[in-house]
Amino acid sequence: MFQFLPHSVLQMGTIFLSIVIEALPFVMLGCVISGALHVFLTPERVKKLLPKNKFLSILVGSFLGFFFPSCECGIVPIVHQFVKKDVPTYTAFAFMITAPIINPIVLFSTYIAFSNSIKFVIWRVLGSLIVALVVGVWLAYINKESILRQSLSEEISCTIESNEHQHDHKKEGFWQKCWSVLTHGIDEFFDTGRYLIFGSLLASAMQTYLPTGAMLQLGNTKILAILVMLILAATLSLCSEADAFIGSSLLSLFGSGPVIGFLVFGPMVDIKNLLMMKRYFKTSFMLKFVGIVTVVVSLYALAI
């Protein structure tokens, strides 16, 4: 039916569909979790649960992903809801960075992908924790500017002013609360889903037309190999449950350090996630965030 189209266009369409099909379930799950947070999590509960000490709060956020696992495809709606519920940004971003890596499913898939080698699991987890601590400390102690887009800041102000509606959830029955969760989750899904589509389209185009073969030949030195692997991680936009199998196939070509950089960087910075983040966060903040993550991951991979 589409034989008249160039082969590259058909290939791009296939990659686009595979990315969307792979990501959609996790985005939907993230939006449902976001709806549950909207209904059941109040700012008062957040203040009771999180330590007042900023550094301890960063640590809590960093390890929360193990008990509250989420793929990076669905992490943005959850972080958005955290911020709306007065979770500090340094805690929310520590969670966003580590949750797609330290959750049990990803740990097990990484272990299997590298022939039951525990050292790659440890390196990957340690790398994510280091990046989370650096970004968390930067947000807590150094960055003084608002990271939220103006429209989102106004939305959060409206949310705070309508706290009476939030308290009404306490008077609702169980099924009414479930309906509220689904209603909010659907709204979040359609709000975030468009950015997933645009991001997947861009990622598929880059996978099709970016000269990957030429990039692979650039990995002659370790630093170049690391940079190539970081670019591949961002453009391939793989799910964190599957990227370890791709990374292990490149181990003999690039070595341990660049592959670990690939595994740590991909769940934190990929095209579809950046476009979804663009919905909520300022471009200037996102550039700083990507820059910090890139530098820290590069130095970590170089040290391995």
Side-chain angles (χ1 to χ4, degrees):
M1 180 177 178
F2 299 102
Q3 297 302 320
F4 65 93
L5 294 173
H7 175 72
S8 60
V9 175
L10 295 175
Q11 182 184 3
M12 188 182 80
T14 302
I15 296 173
F16 167 74
L17 287 176
S18 66
I19 293 175
V20 171
I21 292 171
E22 181 184 46
L24 269 180
F26 297 104
V27 175
M28 292 177 67
L29 178 62
C31 291
V32 171
I33 294 174
S34 173
L37 293 173
H38 174 74
V39 173
F40 295 106
L41 188 67
T42 64
E44 291 78 15
R45 287 176 180 170
V46 170
K47 291 176 182 178
K48 290 180 180 178
L49 292 173
L50 290 178
K52 294 182 180 180
N53 182 277
K54 290 184 178 180
F55 188 76
L56 289 179
S57 186
I58 294 170
L59 289 178
V60 169
S62 299
F63 288 99
L64 191 61
F66 185 83
F67 307 98
F68 192 30
S70 175
C71 173
E72 83 278 2
C73 301
I75 198 74
V76 175
I78 299 174
V79 171
H80 166 225
Q81 197 60 231
F82 274 157
V83 174
K84 284 181 67 175
K85 295 297 181 179
D86 280 355
V87 174
T89 54
Y90 45 83
T91 305
F93 270 84
F95 168 77
M96 188 186 81
I97 288 170
T98 59
I101 292 177
I102 69 171
N103 78 67
I105 299 174
V106 173
L107 296 180
F108 182 71
S109 67
T110 304
Y111 178 74
I112 296 298
F114 287 93
S115 304
N116 302 339
S117 175
I118 193 67
K119 70 176 182 179
F120 285 93
V121 178
I122 295 173
W123 281 342
R124 190 177 193 185
V125 171
L126 182 61
S128 70
L129 291 174
I130 291 173
V131 176
L133 288 176
V134 172
V135 172
V137 168
W138 170 62
L139 286 171
Y141 299 104
I142 300 174
N143 182 66
K144 301 300 181 183
E145 299 178 0
S146 172
I147 69 173
L148 301 173
R149 294 181 64 177
Q150 185 62 34
S151 58
L152 184 61
S153 298
E154 294 171 356
E155 179 185 342
I156 292 176
S157 298
C158 293
T159 302
I160 294 173
E161 290 174 2
S162 61
N163 259 345
E164 293 180 3
H165 176 69
Q166 183 74 14
H167 289 298
D168 288 342
H169 287 304
K170 298 178 181 178
K171 302 176 184 178
E172 293 178 348
F174 176 75
W175 294 112
Q176 286 81 6
K177 290 183 178 181
C178 290
W179 180 253
S180 297
V181 168
L182 290 177
T183 301
H184 183 84
I186 290 171
D187 291 340
E188 189 83 47
F189 175 76
F190 282 104
D191 196 26
T192 307
R194 52 184 168 167
Y195 295 93
L196 169 67
I197 298 298
F198 294 142
S200 300
L201 185 62
L202 183 57
S204 61
M206 294 190 69
Q207 286 189 47
T208 303
Y209 297 107
L210 194 69
T212 307
M215 288 178 59
L216 295 177
Q217 294 176 359
L218 291 175
N220 296 326
T221 62
K222 190 171 184 180
I223 186 63
L224 280 177
I226 291 171
L227 294 177
V228 167
M229 289 299 280
L230 297 191
I231 294 172
L232 282 177
T235 55
L236 291 178
S237 299
L238 298 170
C239 187
S240 58
E241 277 88 354
D243 59 0
F245 295 95
I246 304 298
S248 63
S249 69
L250 299 171
L251 187 60
S252 60
L253 184 63
F254 287 101
S256 300
V259 169
I260 292 298
F262 173 86
L263 297 178
V264 173
F265 189 77
M268 302 175 188
V269 178
D270 69 26
I271 294 173
K272 64 180 185 301
N273 266 19
L274 290 178
L275 278 182
M276 285 192 285
M277 286 175 63
K278 184 70 172 64
R279 163 71 178 83
Y280 306 113
F281 304 105
K282 290 181 178 178
T283 302
S284 57
F285 161 73
M286 290 177 59
L287 290 174
K288 294 175 185 177
F289 171 76
V290 172
I292 292 172
V293 172
T294 302
V295 171
V296 175
V297 173
S298 298
L299 292 175
Y300 180 71
L302 198 60
I304 294 177

